[in-house]
Amino acid sequence: QYREELRRQVEQKLNAAETKRKSEEKKRFTTIAESNRQEAQDHQQRMKKLEEIYTDHKEKVKKMIEKKFKKAKQIREQEMFRWGNRREYGCNNLVVLSLKAELDAGLDLWRKQVLSVQSL
């Protein structure tokens, strides 16, 4: 009878330990899942903010390029009008094209930087 009581108590302790272990495992799983959800949300917010910054900067660069292109075109037209010489037109066209190439190169560099930040 004593042994039976001892066996019953041991089984109760084992059952209590198993229940506690399962409870702690479930709690740990819940904590990890919540942490993962929070991390995903934070990442999504960071990506959204980066996308907004990228869009704003893209618009600024576009406006700046359009403004410089328009200015270069006006300068070219003024020079053509002023000199009326085809050779002058060719030289100014080269200036416009070099300015456009410089702006495109800067835009490409910035685009690569944004993509490298987004890939993090």
Side-chain angles (χ1 to χ4, degrees):
Q1 188 177 15
Y2 170 74
R3 287 181 187 224
E4 218 173 280
E5 179 64 27
L6 187 61
R7 186 173 47 89
R8 190 176 60 73
Q9 287 178 358
V10 168
E11 284 180 16
Q12 284 178 350
K13 285 183 180 181
L14 285 174
N15 287 338
E18 180 67 20
T19 303
K20 184 178 179 184
R21 185 188 65 80
K22 285 182 180 180
S23 173
E24 287 175 358
E25 187 176 304
K26 185 177 179 181
K27 183 179 178 183
R28 186 173 55 238
F29 175 77
T30 304
T31 302
I32 290 171
E34 181 60 34
S35 175
N36 287 344
R37 274 193 296 275
Q38 186 63 42
E39 191 174 319
Q41 261 185 342
D42 292 346
H43 178 72
Q44 195 173 19
Q45 287 175 348
R46 283 192 305 269
M47 291 307 291
K48 187 175 182 180
K49 187 172 183 178
L50 277 174
E51 186 65 32
E52 289 173 4
I53 290 170
Y54 173 72
T55 303
D56 290 345
H57 189 71
K58 194 167 65 170
E59 287 298 317
K60 286 178 186 177
V61 169
K62 182 180 176 182
K63 287 178 183 178
M64 181 185 68
I65 289 171
E66 288 173 353
K67 183 178 176 183
K68 287 190 176 190
F69 187 72
K70 190 175 186 179
K71 184 176 180 182
K73 189 175 178 181
Q74 286 175 348
I75 290 172
R76 183 188 73 200
E77 289 173 358
Q78 287 173 355
E79 289 295 319
M80 279 181 56
F81 181 75
R82 200 160 114 198
W83 298 106
N85 191 342
R86 286 278 186 216
R87 275 187 281 161
E88 289 294 322
Y89 171 74
C91 291
N92 283 330
N93 196 21
L94 291 175
V95 171
V96 170
L97 290 176
S98 68
L99 179 61
K100 184 179 184 311
E102 179 185 334
L103 291 173
D104 286 341
L107 182 61
D108 286 340
L109 176 64
W110 178 82
R111 188 176 294 131
K112 287 177 186 176
Q113 289 173 347
V114 168
L115 290 174
S116 70
V117 167
Q118 286 180 344
S119 67
L120 296 179

